[in-house]
Amino acid sequence: MPQRVFDSHRHIGALPEFPFYGGPAIRADVTAKETVGAFFADLDREGTERALVLPNYGVPVPDAAFDLNPLAIEAAQKDDRVSCGLWVSPKASDVDRNTEALKLVGESGVKALKTSFLLGGSPTDPDCADEIDRIFTTAAEHDLVVHVHTSPGAASDVDQVGTLVDRYGDDTKIHLVHLGGGMSGHMKLIGGRLFDWIEAGKQVYTDTSWTIGFAPVWLVQEIERRGVGHDRILFATDCPWGDFEGEHARLSAVAKDPELAEAFFRGNFTSLYG
């Protein structure tokens, strides 16, 4: 295992049970950490030296994620090896919650704003335009990164989320998690869009959490072929939705070059999150 592993994407806090997909109420985030102490114990066990921690989210209850912003800040202020992101929503119905969350951007340790369309809204929905603009322009003004979920299909698809890179990527640093999300997302990003954006001057980054096995191999090949992108890829676990051991093994298997491993596991995190 490389020493001094830096994790660019993990969560803190547990979510309430919810009846997903018409089934019984369940709680799937079984390894979620509800306290700062338990969170740091995981870092110590893994050997993770630095991390960006984000409020956990995933149930369609707006306050469930917003209420975890103080816990993320607490973790970041307990130890300077951890920075945090604040949960914000693209939905117009969350305008007041966003206002309260954005009051915290000046808190010590805040390095990012986290948003997702899994719980509603769309990058191209006019009803979301004002809150999306507020999120991205606030990030640019405060030199924060906007952390955006990607997954195949619907509003989180790269076809949709990519419009945000086109619109805001000149002025705002954008971290697209999960390498575009799934088979189609990997193909769209690695097949050209990620590298085209970089060559166009967009401040776009991604991590390899949740990637399908073929994707990291191809990603490294394309970095070598295109000659760009080595400074835009970050290691991430997405715990509790991912796991350290699996994510670490997958990226280690392709980052054979010591300079590339240093960039993926540590250097790019330092450049992006300080």
Side-chain angles (χ1 to χ4, degrees), residues 183-207:
M183 177 71 77
S184 61
H186 299 339
M187 288 185 167
K188 291 171 185 178
L189 278 193
I190 303 170
R193 294 189 203 183
L194 175 64
F195 300 98
D196 292 345
W197 280 326
I198 293 170
E199 290 176 345
K202 302 298 184 183
Q203 300 183 84
V204 61
Y205 301 79
T206 189
D207 67 55

PDB file of all heavy atoms in Angstrom, residues 183-207:
ATOM      1  N   MET A 183     -20.974   2.137 -16.961  1.00  0.00           N
ATOM      2  CA  MET A 183     -20.441   1.834 -18.286  1.00  0.00           C
ATOM      3  C   MET A 183     -20.549   3.017 -19.239  1.00  0.00           C
ATOM      4  O   MET A 183     -19.571   3.437 -19.857  1.00  0.00           O
ATOM      5  CB  MET A 183     -21.187   0.625 -18.868  1.00  0.00           C
ATOM      6  CG  MET A 183     -20.775   0.240 -20.279  1.00  0.00           C
ATOM      7  SD  MET A 183     -19.140  -0.497 -20.359  1.00  0.00           S
ATOM      8  CE  MET A 183     -19.495  -2.148 -19.753  1.00  0.00           C
ATOM      9  N   SER A 184     -21.751   3.581 -19.375  1.00  0.00           N
ATOM     10  CA  SER A 184     -21.931   4.657 -20.349  1.00  0.00           C
ATOM     11  C   SER A 184     -21.151   5.900 -19.955  1.00  0.00           C
ATOM     12  O   SER A 184     -20.558   6.576 -20.802  1.00  0.00           O
ATOM     13  CB  SER A 184     -23.417   4.998 -20.493  1.00  0.00           C
ATOM     14  OG  SER A 184     -23.966   5.453 -19.257  1.00  0.00           O
ATOM     15  N   GLY A 185     -21.132   6.206 -18.655  1.00  0.00           N
ATOM     16  CA  GLY A 185     -20.397   7.379 -18.198  1.00  0.00           C
ATOM     17  C   GLY A 185     -18.900   7.243 -18.422  1.00  0.00           C
ATOM     18  O   GLY A 185     -18.237   8.192 -18.854  1.00  0.00           O
ATOM     19  N   HIS A 186     -18.361   6.056 -18.128  1.00  0.00           N
ATOM     20  CA  HIS A 186     -16.935   5.827 -18.382  1.00  0.00           C
ATOM     21  C   HIS A 186     -16.621   6.012 -19.862  1.00  0.00           C
ATOM     22  O   HIS A 186     -15.619   6.632 -20.231  1.00  0.00           O
ATOM     23  CB  HIS A 186     -16.539   4.406 -17.971  1.00  0.00           C
ATOM     24  CG  HIS A 186     -16.734   4.094 -16.522  1.00  0.00           C
ATOM     25  ND1 HIS A 186     -16.811   5.065 -15.540  1.00  0.00           N
ATOM     26  CD2 HIS A 186     -16.856   2.897 -15.884  1.00  0.00           C
ATOM     27  CE1 HIS A 186     -16.968   4.471 -14.366  1.00  0.00           C
ATOM     28  NE2 HIS A 186     -17.013   3.173 -14.545  1.00  0.00           N
ATOM     29  N   MET A 187     -17.478   5.450 -20.705  1.00  0.00           N
ATOM     30  CA  MET A 187     -17.218   5.546 -22.144  1.00  0.00           C
ATOM     31  C   MET A 187     -17.265   6.993 -22.627  1.00  0.00           C
ATOM     32  O   MET A 187     -16.464   7.408 -23.471  1.00  0.00           O
ATOM     33  CB  MET A 187     -18.213   4.678 -22.912  1.00  0.00           C
ATOM     34  CG  MET A 187     -17.952   3.200 -22.747  1.00  0.00           C
ATOM     35  SD  MET A 187     -19.042   2.198 -23.788  1.00  0.00           S
ATOM     36  CE  MET A 187     -18.215   0.600 -23.657  1.00  0.00           C
ATOM     37  N   LYS A 188     -18.205   7.754 -22.092  1.00  0.00           N
ATOM     38  CA  LYS A 188     -18.313   9.154 -22.517  1.00  0.00           C
ATOM     39  C   LYS A 188     -17.122   9.979 -22.047  1.00  0.00           C
ATOM     40  O   LYS A 188     -16.562  10.773 -22.813  1.00  0.00           O
ATOM     41  CB  LYS A 188     -19.616   9.752 -21.986  1.00  0.00           C
ATOM     42  CG  LYS A 188     -20.861   9.176 -22.640  1.00  0.00           C
ATOM     43  CD  LYS A 188     -22.130   9.622 -21.931  1.00  0.00           C
ATOM     44  CE  LYS A 188     -23.359   8.935 -22.517  1.00  0.00           C
ATOM     45  NZ  LYS A 188     -24.606   9.309 -21.808  1.00  0.00           N
ATOM     46  N   LEU A 189     -16.716   9.786 -20.773  1.00  0.00           N
ATOM     47  CA  LEU A 189     -15.610  10.588 -20.256  1.00  0.00           C
ATOM     48  C   LEU A 189     -14.266  10.137 -20.819  1.00  0.00           C
ATOM     49  O   LEU A 189     -13.515  10.948 -21.363  1.00  0.00           O
ATOM     50  CB  LEU A 189     -15.573  10.518 -18.729  1.00  0.00           C
ATOM     51  CG  LEU A 189     -16.498  11.438 -17.942  1.00  0.00           C
ATOM     52  CD1 LEU A 189     -16.087  11.454 -16.474  1.00  0.00           C
ATOM     53  CD2 LEU A 189     -16.483  12.861 -18.479  1.00  0.00           C
ATOM     54  N   ILE A 190     -13.950   8.846 -20.663  1.00  0.00           N
ATOM     55  CA  ILE A 190     -12.645   8.364 -21.101  1.00  0.00           C
ATOM     56  C   ILE A 190     -12.542   8.398 -22.619  1.00  0.00           C
ATOM     57  O   ILE A 190     -11.471   8.651 -23.188  1.00  0.00           O
ATOM     58  CB  ILE A 190     -12.385   6.936 -20.584  1.00  0.00           C
ATOM     59  CG1 ILE A 190     -12.481   6.885 -19.062  1.00  0.00           C
ATOM     60  CG2 ILE A 190     -11.005   6.456 -21.015  1.00  0.00           C
ATOM     61  CD1 ILE A 190     -12.466   5.476 -18.475  1.00  0.00           C
ATOM     62  N   GLY A 191     -13.670   8.160 -23.293  1.00  0.00           N
ATOM     63  CA  GLY A 191     -13.680   8.153 -24.749  1.00  0.00           C
ATOM     64  C   GLY A 191     -13.442   9.506 -25.383  1.00  0.00           C
ATOM     65  O   GLY A 191     -13.298   9.585 -26.609  1.00  0.00           O
ATOM     66  N   GLY A 192     -13.405  10.564 -24.571  1.00  0.00           N
ATOM     67  CA  GLY A 192     -13.080  11.860 -25.164  1.00  0.00           C
ATOM     68  C   GLY A 192     -13.424  13.080 -24.363  1.00  0.00           C
ATOM     69  O   GLY A 192     -12.657  14.034 -24.319  1.00  0.00           O
ATOM     70  N   ARG A 193     -14.578  13.078 -23.705  1.00  0.00           N
ATOM     71  CA  ARG A 193     -15.038  14.341 -23.135  1.00  0.00           C
ATOM     72  C   ARG A 193     -14.119  14.886 -22.053  1.00  0.00           C
ATOM     73  O   ARG A 193     -13.861  16.096 -22.010  1.00  0.00           O
ATOM     74  CB  ARG A 193     -16.456  14.178 -22.570  1.00  0.00           C
ATOM     75  CG  ARG A 193     -17.477  13.910 -23.641  1.00  0.00           C
ATOM     76  CD  ARG A 193     -18.890  13.957 -23.100  1.00  0.00           C
ATOM     77  NE  ARG A 193     -19.776  13.182 -23.962  1.00  0.00           N
ATOM     78  CZ  ARG A 193     -21.078  13.081 -23.769  1.00  0.00           C
ATOM     79  NH1 ARG A 193     -21.653  13.689 -22.750  1.00  0.00           N
ATOM     80  NH2 ARG A 193     -21.821  12.357 -24.593  1.00  0.00           N
ATOM     81  N   LEU A 194     -13.640  14.014 -21.154  1.00  0.00           N
ATOM     82  CA  LEU A 194     -12.758  14.494 -20.089  1.00  0.00           C
ATOM     83  C   LEU A 194     -11.532  15.185 -20.670  1.00  0.00           C
ATOM     84  O   LEU A 194     -11.172  16.301 -20.261  1.00  0.00           O
ATOM     85  CB  LEU A 194     -12.334  13.330 -19.196  1.00  0.00           C
ATOM     86  CG  LEU A 194     -11.309  13.658 -18.103  1.00  0.00           C
ATOM     87  CD1 LEU A 194     -11.882  14.641 -17.097  1.00  0.00           C
ATOM     88  CD2 LEU A 194     -10.832  12.387 -17.421  1.00  0.00           C
ATOM     89  N   PHE A 195     -10.902  14.551 -21.632  1.00  0.00           N
ATOM     90  CA  PHE A 195      -9.680  15.093 -22.205  1.00  0.00           C
ATOM     91  C   PHE A 195      -9.967  16.320 -23.073  1.00  0.00           C
ATOM     92  O   PHE A 195      -9.163  17.264 -23.100  1.00  0.00           O
ATOM     93  CB  PHE A 195      -8.975  14.001 -23.010  1.00  0.00           C
ATOM     94  CG  PHE A 195      -8.619  12.807 -22.168  1.00  0.00           C
ATOM     95  CD1 PHE A 195      -9.435  11.682 -22.153  1.00  0.00           C
ATOM     96  CD2 PHE A 195      -7.497  12.817 -21.354  1.00  0.00           C
ATOM     97  CE1 PHE A 195      -9.120  10.583 -21.367  1.00  0.00           C
ATOM     98  CE2 PHE A 195      -7.175  11.728 -20.562  1.00  0.00           C
ATOM     99  CZ  PHE A 195      -7.992  10.610 -20.558  1.00  0.00           C
ATOM    100  N   ASP A 196     -11.085  16.317 -23.771  1.00  0.00           N
ATOM    101  CA  ASP A 196     -11.464  17.499 -24.566  1.00  0.00           C
ATOM    102  C   ASP A 196     -11.692  18.703 -23.658  1.00  0.00           C
ATOM    103  O   ASP A 196     -11.276  19.826 -23.981  1.00  0.00           O
ATOM    104  CB  ASP A 196     -12.726  17.214 -25.371  1.00  0.00           C
ATOM    105  CG  ASP A 196     -12.508  16.183 -26.471  1.00  0.00           C
ATOM    106  OD1 ASP A 196     -11.339  15.898 -26.802  1.00  0.00           O
ATOM    107  OD2 ASP A 196     -13.517  15.658 -26.998  1.00  0.00           O
ATOM    108  N   TRP A 197     -12.363  18.485 -22.518  1.00  0.00           N
ATOM    109  CA  TRP A 197     -12.579  19.576 -21.579  1.00  0.00           C
ATOM    110  C   TRP A 197     -11.255  20.111 -21.040  1.00  0.00           C
ATOM    111  O   TRP A 197     -11.064  21.323 -20.935  1.00  0.00           O
ATOM    112  CB  TRP A 197     -13.446  19.103 -20.411  1.00  0.00           C
ATOM    113  CG  TRP A 197     -14.908  19.042 -20.686  1.00  0.00           C
ATOM    114  CD1 TRP A 197     -15.626  19.884 -21.495  1.00  0.00           C
ATOM    115  CD2 TRP A 197     -15.841  18.108 -20.141  1.00  0.00           C
ATOM    116  NE1 TRP A 197     -16.958  19.524 -21.476  1.00  0.00           N
ATOM    117  CE2 TRP A 197     -17.113  18.449 -20.665  1.00  0.00           C
ATOM    118  CE3 TRP A 197     -15.739  17.028 -19.261  1.00  0.00           C
ATOM    119  CZ2 TRP A 197     -18.271  17.743 -20.323  1.00  0.00           C
ATOM    120  CZ3 TRP A 197     -16.879  16.317 -18.926  1.00  0.00           C
ATOM    121  CH2 TRP A 197     -18.132  16.665 -19.453  1.00  0.00           C
ATOM    122  N   ILE A 198     -10.360  19.203 -20.681  1.00  0.00           N
ATOM    123  CA  ILE A 198      -9.060  19.632 -20.151  1.00  0.00           C
ATOM    124  C   ILE A 198      -8.312  20.464 -21.193  1.00  0.00           C
ATOM    125  O   ILE A 198      -7.776  21.536 -20.892  1.00  0.00           O
ATOM    126  CB  ILE A 198      -8.227  18.411 -19.727  1.00  0.00           C
ATOM    127  CG1 ILE A 198      -8.879  17.705 -18.527  1.00  0.00           C
ATOM    128  CG2 ILE A 198      -6.797  18.827 -19.386  1.00  0.00           C
ATOM    129  CD1 ILE A 198      -8.272  16.358 -18.193  1.00  0.00           C
ATOM    130  N   GLU A 199      -8.299  19.984 -22.422  1.00  0.00           N
ATOM    131  CA  GLU A 199      -7.598  20.713 -23.473  1.00  0.00           C
ATOM    132  C   GLU A 199      -8.254  22.048 -23.792  1.00  0.00           C
ATOM    133  O   GLU A 199      -7.592  22.984 -24.256  1.00  0.00           O
ATOM    134  CB  GLU A 199      -7.507  19.849 -24.730  1.00  0.00           C
ATOM    135  CG  GLU A 199      -6.560  18.658 -24.556  1.00  0.00           C
ATOM    136  CD  GLU A 199      -6.531  17.742 -25.757  1.00  0.00           C
ATOM    137  OE1 GLU A 199      -7.449  17.846 -26.616  1.00  0.00           O
ATOM    138  OE2 GLU A 199      -5.598  16.918 -25.855  1.00  0.00           O
ATOM    139  N   ALA A 200      -9.552  22.155 -23.503  1.00  0.00           N
ATOM    140  CA  ALA A 200     -10.269  23.419 -23.709  1.00  0.00           C
ATOM    141  C   ALA A 200     -10.098  24.377 -22.525  1.00  0.00           C
ATOM    142  O   ALA A 200     -10.642  25.487 -22.562  1.00  0.00           O
ATOM    143  CB  ALA A 200     -11.754  23.148 -23.939  1.00  0.00           C
ATOM    144  N   GLY A 201      -9.372  23.949 -21.498  1.00  0.00           N
ATOM    145  CA  GLY A 201      -9.111  24.821 -20.362  1.00  0.00           C
ATOM    146  C   GLY A 201     -10.109  24.714 -19.234  1.00  0.00           C
ATOM    147  O   GLY A 201     -10.068  25.520 -18.293  1.00  0.00           O
ATOM    148  N   LYS A 202     -10.999  23.719 -19.292  1.00  0.00           N
ATOM    149  CA  LYS A 202     -11.980  23.557 -18.217  1.00  0.00           C
ATOM    150  C   LYS A 202     -11.302  22.997 -16.968  1.00  0.00           C
ATOM    151  O   LYS A 202     -10.432  22.118 -17.052  1.00  0.00           O
ATOM    152  CB  LYS A 202     -13.104  22.618 -18.650  1.00  0.00           C
ATOM    153  CG  LYS A 202     -13.851  23.058 -19.895  1.00  0.00           C
ATOM    154  CD  LYS A 202     -14.562  24.384 -19.728  1.00  0.00           C
ATOM    155  CE  LYS A 202     -15.372  24.726 -20.977  1.00  0.00           C
ATOM    156  NZ  LYS A 202     -16.032  26.064 -20.862  1.00  0.00           N
ATOM    157  N   GLN A 203     -11.727  23.489 -15.807  1.00  0.00           N
ATOM    158  CA  GLN A 203     -11.173  23.046 -14.532  1.00  0.00           C
ATOM    159  C   GLN A 203     -11.973  21.843 -14.035  1.00  0.00           C
ATOM    160  O   GLN A 203     -12.729  21.925 -13.078  1.00  0.00           O
ATOM    161  CB  GLN A 203     -11.217  24.180 -13.515  1.00  0.00           C
ATOM    162  CG  GLN A 203     -10.428  25.413 -13.932  1.00  0.00           C
ATOM    163  CD  GLN A 203     -10.450  26.474 -12.856  1.00  0.00           C
ATOM    164  OE1 GLN A 203      -9.671  26.463 -11.908  1.00  0.00           O
ATOM    165  NE2 GLN A 203     -11.373  27.414 -12.996  1.00  0.00           N
ATOM    166  N   VAL A 204     -11.781  20.716 -14.695  1.00  0.00           N
ATOM    167  CA  VAL A 204     -12.569  19.530 -14.401  1.00  0.00           C
ATOM    168  C   VAL A 204     -11.667  18.423 -13.866  1.00  0.00           C
ATOM    169  O   VAL A 204     -10.549  18.221 -14.348  1.00  0.00           O
ATOM    170  CB  VAL A 204     -13.347  19.065 -15.659  1.00  0.00           C
ATOM    171  CG1 VAL A 204     -12.404  18.700 -16.797  1.00  0.00           C
ATOM    172  CG2 VAL A 204     -14.276  17.914 -15.339  1.00  0.00           C
ATOM    173  N   TYR A 205     -12.178  17.718 -12.853  1.00  0.00           N
ATOM    174  CA  TYR A 205     -11.466  16.636 -12.176  1.00  0.00           C
ATOM    175  C   TYR A 205     -12.444  15.474 -12.003  1.00  0.00           C
ATOM    176  O   TYR A 205     -13.657  15.645 -12.079  1.00  0.00           O
ATOM    177  CB  TYR A 205     -10.975  17.097 -10.800  1.00  0.00           C
ATOM    178  CG  TYR A 205     -10.042  18.285 -10.852  1.00  0.00           C
ATOM    179  CD1 TYR A 205     -10.543  19.581 -11.022  1.00  0.00           C
ATOM    180  CD2 TYR A 205      -8.668  18.118 -10.742  1.00  0.00           C
ATOM    181  CE1 TYR A 205      -9.687  20.673 -11.088  1.00  0.00           C
ATOM    182  CE2 TYR A 205      -7.809  19.208 -10.789  1.00  0.00           C
ATOM    183  CZ  TYR A 205      -8.331  20.481 -10.972  1.00  0.00           C
ATOM    184  OH  TYR A 205      -7.477  21.563 -11.031  1.00  0.00           O
ATOM    185  N   THR A 206     -11.905  14.285 -11.721  1.00  0.00           N
ATOM    186  CA  THR A 206     -12.774  13.148 -11.466  1.00  0.00           C
ATOM    187  C   THR A 206     -12.081  12.178 -10.525  1.00  0.00           C
ATOM    188  O   THR A 206     -10.870  12.269 -10.305  1.00  0.00           O
ATOM    189  CB  THR A 206     -13.181  12.453 -12.781  1.00  0.00           C
ATOM    190  OG1 THR A 206     -14.203  11.483 -12.525  1.00  0.00           O
ATOM    191  CG2 THR A 206     -12.004  11.779 -13.447  1.00  0.00           C
ATOM    192  N   ASP A 207     -12.855  11.266  -9.946  1.00  0.00           N
ATOM    193  CA  ASP A 207     -12.269  10.216  -9.113  1.00  0.00           C
ATOM    194  C   ASP A 207     -12.715   8.860  -9.634  1.00  0.00           C
ATOM    195  O   ASP A 207     -13.625   8.753 -10.451  1.00  0.00           O
ATOM    196  CB  ASP A 207     -12.604  10.411  -7.630  1.00  0.00           C
ATOM    197  CG  ASP A 207     -14.073  10.237  -7.293  1.00  0.00           C
ATOM    198  OD1 ASP A 207     -14.644   9.176  -7.624  1.00  0.00           O
ATOM    199  OD2 ASP A 207     -14.674  11.149  -6.658  1.00  0.00           O
TER     200      ASP A 207
END
